[in-house]
Amino acid sequence: MEQKKDTLLEIHNLSVSFSMYGHGFERTNLKVISDLHLTVHPGEIVAIAGSSGSGKSLLASAILGILPDNAVVEGHLHYKGQELTPDLQKKLCGKEIALVPQSVAYLDPLMKVGAQVDGHCRPKPVQKRRKLFERLQLPDNTPRLYPFQLSGGMARRVLVSTALITDAELIIADEPTPGMSLYQALEALKMFREMADEGKAVVLITHDIDLAVEFADRVAVFYAGTTVETAPVSDFKAGVDALRHPYSKALWRALPQNGFEPVPGFQPYAGNLPRGCLFAPRCPYRTAECERQVPPVRELRGGEVRCYHGT
Amino acid sequence: MDRGIFARLVKNFVVYGLRIISLLLAVSIIAFTLVSASPIDPVQQYILGLGTAVSPEKRAEIEAYWGVNEPPVRRYLTWLNELLHGNMGESAIYRRPVSDILWERFANSLALMLCAWVLAGVIGFALGCVMGMYRDRLPDKIIKKVCYILSSMPTFWLGLLLLLVFSVWLGWFPIGFSSPIGVLSENVTVGQKIYHLILPAFTLSLMSFSNIALHTRQKLIDVLNSEYVLFARARGEGRWTVLCRHGLRNILLPALTLQFASFAELFGGSVMAENVFSYPGLGSAVSAAGLQGDVPLLLGITLFSTLFVSVGNLIANLLYGVIDPQIREVGR
Amino acid sequence: MQNNTKQPSYGRQLYKRSNKKPLNRINYLNNRKRAVILTTSLTIIFVIVYVAGMLISEDAVSGSFLNAKIAPCFKYPFGTDALGRNVFLRTLKGLSVSITVGIAASAISAVIAVLVGVAAAAGSRWLDAVINWIIDLVMSVPHTILIILISFCLGRGMKGLLVGIAATHWCSLARVIRGEVLQLRSQQYIAVSRRLGKSSGWIFVNHILPHLVPQFFVGLVLMFPHAILHEASISFLGFGLPPEQPAIGIILAESMRYLSTGMWWTAVLPGITLVLIVLLVDKLGDNIKMILDPYRAQE
């Protein structure tokens, strides 16, 4: 496959499934992420928005190579044009690719925050950490605290700092802002923005579309383990007609300021995905074609959409 | 913050101290009741132990000393009073004050138990880590099997096997006695003592390491499955870095606590090991005392072993409260 | 250090668990079937050993000096001892004696454990504290010492051994039962029952007791290996059964005397038999746990 030189991360046809062995030779696959496409360019923030259970966090795990042992990954992951193999992941993780995890449970309960943010690499980036903590308004005694002593907002900022302290080119932030005050959230996101402006990239995983729209350059809408649409942020600002996929439109309408209309139906469970388009059972525009075959990704008005009928 | 820890330490110490005293008191009552109810007549045993015929007057004198004709409660109170003044009576089989025997034998037992305890702790912890790191792979399966088999063996039989292999067949170690026969106990060198200590200590540690190993394995697996280890791996930490940075930190303390809380099993095991190897510690003394009706010695060792176990539990509790910051915080 | 609180499962496991549902059923059925078959066959072996031991007559285990100290051979699989007795038959007979003591002691112990555990969880905080203190008390004396004391009190012999083992082994099961009852009491259906005007006794018999039955049997079976090992140990020390009884502990104690003469078989073979029986019952316990309480047995 031809690689564009200016992509930092390219995900092509990625599927993650869990294989379960029963007794004897029975074996089933549960597809949690199916045929996912995503491209991240240097200098941009890509938001991945979707409801819970759509496989967002698993995508982060797949990029970082920390999926459980029984997960099977298919498709291609490219980092700076290189195939992201497990060996390469081991080499890059924590250095070039950094994760901002979801909750304080990702911190060692018995290790003080300072040592934990510094990480295992030598020399310890103590000076850098001090500056970061100051900027994130963390109190002076924070490095000497244990994780359970942190308040919710402090914990988030500490988690964000674990990524910012590295010289990572790509930051994957998994729900980084809940619990922070508005000011702190903005400060953290501003720091992501600055990093992006320096030519790095941030993948912001969130279920908060407003936030995504505010800070990201592009938004990828996630549904049942795949991206149904990738659109420039301006399209979200422009309104429902600028969007391409029926799900994105429904999502847009479900926002409080846009009518608060719920999307009817349920997201399909990983065990029994529909054969055709994943959204078809809930889609008002579905046709026989949608139910027969998964629509391919196509480029449309500067974005990407996975729908036969998207306009 | 540090003052808080100190205050809590003192508080815990006092609370557990009082609990230990209440337990010791209860054990003394129960033990005294049990030996009093025994059909084995301690006076008769004492006289038998003298080895000579005893005149009726002498017998009456001995009976008066033992308080045979007094009511049991009175007898108990007299005994307790003497005990609190440091007099534990005279051993019928050794013809010496019980307290002297206790200290002398305890020194031997302590050497044995300490060696076994440290050895079992270190081996158990290390093997537990190996099992956890290689979970469900060959090393784990093999060590786990060994642990289960070892914990299904009676201590004394394992001792017998080691005796058979190392003393009888290979001739590396002596068959019993902590000092060479015919040498006065004062003249026994440290080297000889250690030489006689190896097999019993080895037996005892083999018996107790499986518990700590299986416990450490489970704890390590829990830690390795935790989200913080997942994150550590996402930050580029390798398997062994994870073990050193997060694993040990989170499993060492529970293991140490368990080790201190296992003094009862250790003491029980040492009774068996000492009897197999004729090692002159408390364990061989207690079975001799029980078999030959030496009531003062039996009571003395019972109380002493209770104290020993309680001290282990006390240390375990204090350790747990002091080092673990989470508990430290909850306790405030 | 009995701790029954479940650790929350984190990240990696979470994925596995939540997705495993459909298969778990197949898995579980197969495991269950296997467990039933294993349990049955292990029980049969156990019963055969026990009955065979009981059926061996006194004459068969008495010996003559003519065939003393024979190494294991076809006629005497475990050889003969210094008095010319057939060690194999003696071991079998000894095993069935040990098994009797083990079963009786663990049964008594398990009953004590249920009574104490239920009493502790019954509601009175005061009673709970007292019971906890008693458990601490029993745990703070090394079991071997306590059994020696009790055996001494009862003039040694079988009775002392039985009472001693029964009195020392109930603590951990009592704690499990206490935890179980406390957990059951906080369940919603119990509260509903109470609202419906059912008496405490009715609730106990209908809602709590059925949950304790499996705990009781599993506890009983898992207690047995400890009991039989203690029985052997105490007999070995000379506090248990009288020397003419062919108990395993006594056979091994006798073998000590001839160890230096190279009579390895009287020490090794009966011991291995004992270990095998203990392993067998351990396995049996695990399987019964799997059958009665399949979800918890995965730990």
Side-chain angles (χ1 to χ4, degrees), chain A residues 152-212:
Chain A
M154 278 165 86
R156 296 284 178 185
R157 282 175 277 158
V158 167
L159 292 172
V160 168
S161 65
T162 59
L164 295 178
I165 203 163
T166 60
D167 301 315
E169 306 260 321
L170 176 64
I171 290 184
I172 317 246
D174 195 355
E175 305 275 7
T177 51
M180 291 189 193
S181 73
L182 183 64
Y183 175 83
Q184 289 156 357
L186 292 178
E187 189 62 29
L189 290 168
K190 225 187 275 167
M191 289 169 77
F192 285 148
R193 182 78 262 170
E194 279 167 25
M195 293 187 70
D197 292 344
E198 284 167 28
K200 298 171 179 178
V202 179
V203 174
L204 189 64
I205 296 175
T206 178
H207 60 262
D208 185 345
I209 296 184
D210 287 330
L211 185 93

Side-chain angles (χ1 to χ4, degrees), chain A residues 64-67 93-94 97 99 101 103 105-111 115-120 146 148-149 162 165, chain B residues 1 226-238 241 245-247 249-250 324-326 328-330 332:
Chain A
L64 287 151
I66 51 170
L67 285 166
C93 281
I97 307 177
L99 172 74
S103 78
Y106 286 85
L107 293 177
D108 186 334
L110 295 188
M111 190 186 264
Q116 208 149 185
V117 172
D118 288 345
H120 68 291
Y146 286 99
F148 72 96
Q149 293 169 312
T162 59
I165 203 163
Chain B
M1 192 164 165
S226 71
E227 282 165 329
Y228 57 87
V229 164
L230 196 67
F231 181 47
R233 282 174 48 216
R235 294 182 79 190
E237 292 184 23
T241 316
R245 246 171 90 86
H246 306 288
R249 182 187 301 268
N250 282 282
D324 191 332
Q326 237 153 336
R328 197 195 291 168
E329 197 63 16
V330 170
R332 293 175 83 185

Side-chain angles (χ1 to χ4, degrees), chain B:
Chain B
M1 192 164 165
D2 285 324
R3 259 188 71 181
I5 298 170
F6 185 70
R8 256 169 28 75
L9 198 65
V10 171
K11 196 182 135 224
N12 276 356
F13 190 80
V14 171
V15 170
Y16 286 117
L18 287 176
R19 202 171 173 91
I20 290 178
I21 291 172
S22 75
L23 289 177
L24 277 175
L25 209 61
V27 167
S28 77
I29 294 174
I30 292 169
F32 196 87
T33 316
L34 285 174
V35 293
S36 301
S38 171
I40 299 161
D41 180 7
V43 177
Q44 189 60 35
Q45 296 283 342
Y46 185 84
I47 291 168
L48 277 177
L50 288 173
T52 54
V54 169
S55 64
E57 295 83 48
K58 179 76 178 165
R59 190 185 170 97
E61 198 183 301
I62 296 169
E63 281 185 355
Y65 173 76
W66 283 81
V68 173
N69 301 316
E70 288 177 47
V73 177
R74 173 97 184 241
R75 219 163 10 148
Y76 170 71
L77 290 177
T78 317
W79 174 70
L80 188 67
N81 186 32
E82 289 292 318
L83 181 71
L84 293 177
H85 288 88
N87 177 13
M88 304 178 89
E90 189 181 316
S91 158
I93 40 179
Y94 298 101
R95 302 285 151 192
R96 286 166 53 207
V98 168
S99 46
D100 288 6
I101 299 171
L102 275 185
W103 285 118
E104 185 187 305
R105 295 248 164 177
F106 180 59
N108 289 339
S109 282
L110 189 67
L112 170 65
M113 288 192 281
L114 196 69
C115 288
W117 189 77
V118 171
L119 204 64
V122 172
I123 296 176
F125 189 77
L127 288 181
C129 286
V130 171
M131 282 195 281
M133 291 301 280
Y134 292 97
R135 181 191 182 183
D136 292 338
R137 307 231 299 272
L138 200 62
D140 178 32
K141 282 180 181 164
I142 293 174
I143 300 172
K144 205 160 71 182
K145 263 271 157 2
V146 170
C147 284
Y148 279 126
I149 292 177
L150 275 178
S151 59
S152 303
M153 282 186 188
T155 318
F156 70 92
W157 185 62
L158 187 73
L160 269 179
L161 284 188
L162 293 180
L163 203 60
L164 191 65
V165 173
F166 291 104
S167 298
V168 178
W169 288 348
L170 296 173
W172 292 356
F173 292 100
I175 302 179
F177 304 113
S178 82
S179 56
I181 302 160
V183 180
L184 285 173
S185 57
E186 300 92 73
N187 300 338
V188 180
T189 62
V190 176
Q192 281 168 327
K193 276 196 171 176
I194 292 175
Y195 179 56
H196 285 258
L197 183 74
I198 294 174
L199 266 192
F202 192 55
T203 308
L204 199 49
S205 56
L206 269 183
M207 285 327 291
S208 35
F209 91 82
S210 66
N211 195 16
I212 188 87
L214 292 173
H215 176 266
T216 303
R217 171 186 186 270
Q218 192 50 49
K219 282 279 172 204
L220 184 60
I221 287 174
D222 288 347
V223 169
L224 293 181
N225 279 332
S226 71
E227 282 165 329
Y228 57 87
V229 164
L230 196 67
F231 181 47
R233 282 174 48 216
R235 294 182 79 190
E237 292 184 23
R239 279 163 64 81
W240 299 100
T241 316
V242 164
L243 178 68
C244 296
R245 246 171 90 86
H246 306 288
L248 297 183
R249 182 187 301 268
N250 282 282
I251 59 177
L252 197 56
L253 185 71
L256 198 61
T257 314
L258 186 76
Q259 268 300 80
F260 274 106
S262 70
F263 275 17
E265 286 82 33
L266 187 70
F267 198 96
S270 81
V271 172
M272 302 314 297
E274 288 181 11
N275 272 289
V276 172
F277 294 98
S278 316
Y279 186 85
L282 286 176
S284 52
V286 74
S287 64
L291 286 174
Q292 299 175 39
D294 188 347
V295 170
L297 187 58
L298 193 55
L299 287 177
I301 295 178
T302 305
L303 281 180
F304 199 85
S305 66
T306 308
L307 185 67
F308 179 72
V309 172
S310 302
V311 167
N313 287 337
L314 173 74
I315 297 174
N317 278 312
L318 292 182
L319 255 186
Y320 213 67
V322 172
I323 306 179
D324 191 332
Q326 237 153 336
I327 290 174
R328 197 195 291 168
E329 197 63 16
V330 170
R332 293 175 83 185

Side-chain angles (χ1 to χ4, degrees), chain A residues 37-70:
Chain A
H37 288 260
L38 185 72
T39 318
V40 181
H41 305 279
E44 69 173 356
I45 298 181
V46 177
I48 295 182
S51 60
S52 48
S54 55
K56 291 173 298 184
S57 295
L58 274 177
L59 174 63
S61 299
I63 296 171
L64 287 151
I66 51 170
L67 285 166
D69 297 334
N70 63 338

